[in-house]
Amino acid sequence: MLRKFIVFLAFALILISAFPPRAAHADVAPPEAPPGTNLIPGNETTQVRMVAETVILTISKDPADSREATAKTEAIFTMRNLGTAEENMQVRFPLSFFNGNSDGFGNFPEIDSIAVKINGKTIQTKKENQPFFNSDLSYRERDEIPWAVFDVSFPPSQDVTIEVTYTVKGFGYYPYENFKYILETGAGWNGTIGTADVIVRLPYEVNKQNVWAEGVTGYTDPTQGGVMSGSEIRWHFEEL
């Protein structure tokens, strides 16, 4: 449980919006949007390890609403079967909140679409309602959530690259826009996550005045340790 807890806290980013002002709301916190999330293996025990991942969030205006922002998320996972036998499994990606809860307002928004490649080849995914990630949680608002699922073969001692692309909405009230990426779900693979690089690209030059919003009611403080350069912020983690 300790490893999962640490990884869950590893990345939650608050961005101050550079987009046009919008009307303020009186609520303490805005409704959340489903966060970006690591891949989850099937329910069986696996010898497959996530040896490396690179996640890039490119922030831009929401084409449906210029007052809002979205993040195109490109995640590349390098997986390695540490066992001696090939493993064939159904890999899952949560399309809503992976813990079975709502957005805080009783709604269950979903990620609209997702694209997956295995070793550079595009594959089809299907949507299924399945139990959420952590069955040990005592409180949840529903018993099943929607998943994008797809079949993957992991030969022994070989690297398999999985690329996942999707878009997530930010959430927040002016002048804040909030994006999260959850690493906790990667704890379902064998061992630790070898290395993880999270890169956020903004449509303007970054600095502490326009990306850090510590201590704001209703928001999680941003993860420390990000390195700013031009319009990018980068986090690097090892042995998560």
Side-chain angles (χ1 to χ4, degrees):
M1 291 300 296
L2 178 60
R3 174 161 62 96
K4 291 183 180 180
F5 181 69
I6 291 173
V7 174
F8 177 76
L9 296 178
F11 185 71
L13 174 66
I14 291 176
L15 303 176
I16 296 179
S17 176
F19 306 119
R22 53 186 182 246
H25 297 259
D27 306 76
V28 173
E32 290 200 36
T37 310
N38 269 9
L39 295 172
I40 301 175
N43 293 324
E44 66 274 13
T45 301
T46 179
Q47 293 296 313
V48 178
R49 183 190 184 204
M50 187 180 290
V51 295
E53 66 173 300
T54 299
V55 180
I56 303 172
L57 287 79
T58 302
I59 311 299
S60 61
K61 291 181 181 179
D62 186 341
D65 187 344
S66 62
R67 300 171 301 170
E68 307 288 345
T70 63
K72 178 182 178 181
T73 306
E74 302 167 271
I76 302 174
F77 305 95
T78 301
M79 317 299 295
R80 185 177 302 157
N81 183 353
L82 304 180
T84 58
E86 181 173 276
E87 291 192 27
N88 299 288
M89 74 173 70
Q90 190 179 73
V91 175
R92 304 185 294 164
F93 181 90
L95 297 175
S96 191
F97 300 101
F98 74 97
N99 56 9
N101 291 337
S102 72
D103 63 356
F105 285 67
N107 303 310
F108 301 95
E110 298 180 15
I111 294 172
D112 295 330
S113 62
I114 184 171
V116 177
K117 293 182 179 180
I118 299 177
N119 292 332
K121 182 180 179 179
T122 300
I123 65 166
Q124 294 296 314
T125 67
K126 60 182 179 179
K127 179 180 173 180
E128 291 185 2
N129 288 326
Q130 297 182 4
F132 52 94
F133 173 60
N134 189 346
S135 60
D136 296 329
L137 292 175
S138 59
Y139 173 79
R140 57 185 182 274
E141 296 180 61
R142 55 179 175 173
D143 292 326
E144 292 185 329
I145 64 169
W147 301 83
V149 299
F150 51 96
D151 295 325
V152 186
S153 295
F154 297 100
S157 304
Q158 293 186 29
D159 287 350
V160 174
T161 301
I162 301 176
E163 301 174 59
V164 181
T165 304
Y166 52 93
T167 298
V168 292
K169 290 180 176 291
F171 62 96
Y173 294 145
Y174 180 81
Y176 305 111
E177 196 77 15
N178 188 316
F179 293 90
K180 292 182 179 181
Y181 188 85
I182 303 300
L183 301 178
E184 177 184 0
T185 54
W189 300 97
N190 185 276
T192 62
I193 300 174
T195 62
D197 291 280
V198 180
I199 303 166
V200 176
R201 294 175 176 167
L202 304 180
Y204 47 82
E205 186 171 357
V206 303
N207 55 58
K208 287 190 174 182
Q209 283 67 49
N210 64 21
V211 296
W212 298 137
E214 297 179 0
V216 178
T217 300
Y219 295 88
T220 304
D221 286 347
T223 296
Q224 300 300 310
V227 177
M228 302 180 185
S229 177
S231 61
E232 290 188 351
I233 315 167
R234 294 173 175 253
W235 286 262
H236 178 76
F237 308 102
E238 295 187 6
E239 302 299 334
L240 290 174

